[in-house]
Amino acid sequence: MELDPNIHGDLKLSCAAPILFAQAQHLMGVRVTEIDKAVSSFPVFFVRSAQTGTLSLTALTSFRAGENLFIENQKWRATYTPVEMKIYPFSLVPSANAEKGYALAADLNSLALQTESGEPLYEANKTESLYLSKIKATLEAEIKNEALTRQFLQEIDRLGLISPIVIELHFEGGAVEIINGLCTVAEEKLNSLADDLLMALNKKGYLLPLHAALISLFQVNDLINRFNRKCQGLKIENINLKLDRGTSGSFQ
């Protein structure tokens, strides 16, 4: 809902807002503009929508849906904090009455918004607080970042540089679980591109995020360790990452 200081002037944002958002996210969206920082903490994959076929860029934070292994004792335990966490529960929505054509909105059902304690959204004179102004500035910057991400994903998809990948979890005792639905960079295809295409990708700044996504696969090791520290049942002994070309890599 679009925020109105005359209606929502007493709202405050809980300091726990990022945790409230992230705690049930096993996949967290990232922008191409933050991938170089995101890979310091997470394995980064691509996910293709079953409805539209479009790609999105995501950080894998758990092998289980509805869980985030980077949250321990209600604290964020990763080097990098994705922008999605910083802007929750706010968004920009089209507004005919707003000067820029959009207005600040929020999920008013979120537990992150309350009236008792937290960072005030508005000052006593109904103007935006400095805290809310910073969030709004981040959201406005995200308009460009989202556009750059769409352009990046469309280009690498057009060039066939995305390949499905299957994650096999091998547990103690021999149990195996399969995770489907993720994609990674088709490294062989990338390396076989003609020089002029590689130069074009480099000029657009696309080679760095492509290679960063490949290198980030080694962060699966950290996920295994986090899972095994937290789990109450069988621990993961190793993981196989199987690409559609029939080869695989093993992490343990």
Side-chain angles (χ1 to χ4, degrees):
M1 176 180 288
E2 185 174 334
L3 288 175
D4 183 337
N6 294 311
I7 301 174
H8 309 114
D10 59 344
L11 283 181
K12 298 179 176 64
L13 181 67
S14 168
C15 61
I19 301 300
L20 290 171
F21 170 77
Q23 61 188 357
Q25 305 289 329
H26 72 290
L27 287 171
M28 299 187 66
V30 294
R31 310 291 182 257
V32 69
T33 47
E34 59 180 326
I35 190 174
D36 57 332
K37 298 176 282 292
V39 298
S40 68
S41 298
F42 322 105
V44 172
F45 294 94
F46 303 85
V47 175
R48 190 179 298 279
S49 170
Q51 287 73 38
T52 66
T54 57
L55 291 172
S56 59
L57 195 56
T58 62
L60 182 67
T61 65
S62 179
F63 302 117
R64 298 276 193 265
E67 173 183 80
N68 192 320
L69 294 172
F70 292 88
I71 295 176
E72 299 176 9
N73 300 318
Q74 296 302 301
K75 299 291 184 182
W76 183 243
R77 304 296 186 184
T79 302
Y80 181 67
T81 303
V83 173
E84 276 196 353
M85 293 175 63
K86 299 176 182 178
I87 59 178
Y88 177 79
F90 302 99
S91 62
L92 296 177
V93 296
S95 175
N97 298 322
E99 180 180 350
K100 295 182 179 180
Y102 55 79
L104 188 62
D107 176 6
L108 298 181
N109 293 319
S110 170
L111 296 177
L113 294 174
Q114 50 189 277
T115 56
E116 291 77 19
S117 62
E119 291 284 350
L121 302 190
Y122 296 98
E123 304 293 350
N125 61 2
K126 303 299 183 182
T127 59
E128 291 179 357
S129 66
L130 178 61
Y131 191 83
L132 187 61
S133 295
K134 289 181 178 179
I135 292 176
K136 186 175 182 179
T138 301
L139 285 166
E140 290 175 336
E142 280 296 277
I143 295 175
K144 179 180 179 181
N145 293 337
E146 288 174 1
L148 291 172
T149 301
R150 283 194 300 273
Q151 293 166 8
F152 166 72
L153 294 173
Q154 289 169 358
E155 178 69 1
I156 64 174
D157 197 22
R158 183 184 68 81
L159 292 173
L161 296 178
I162 298 301
S163 176
I165 188 169
V166 177
I167 300 180
E168 287 186 354
L169 306 176
H170 293 260
F171 292 87
E172 296 171 334
V176 178
E177 292 184 14
I178 306 296
I179 297 177
N180 293 297
L182 300 175
C183 299
T184 189
V185 177
E187 186 174 9
E188 289 185 359
K189 180 65 177 293
L190 176 62
N191 292 336
S192 68
L193 288 179
D195 289 345
D196 59 334
L197 284 176
L198 286 172
M199 290 179 62
L201 288 173
N202 188 51
K203 186 175 181 180
K204 293 179 179 179
Y206 291 172
L207 286 184
L208 175 60
L210 286 170
H211 287 297
L214 282 170
I215 293 171
S216 78
L217 295 180
F218 289 97
Q219 293 290 9
V220 171
N221 289 307
D222 182 53
L223 273 188
I224 295 172
N225 293 331
R226 289 174 183 272
F227 179 91
N228 287 342
R229 287 199 306 267
K230 190 173 183 179
C231 79
Q232 301 296 318
L234 296 176
K235 297 183 184 298
I236 297 173
E237 289 189 332
N238 63 73
I239 288 185
N240 288 331
L241 303 182
K242 294 190 173 182
L243 305 179
D244 67 350
R245 64 175 183 266
T247 60
S248 64
S250 180
F251 295 79
Q252 54 185 342

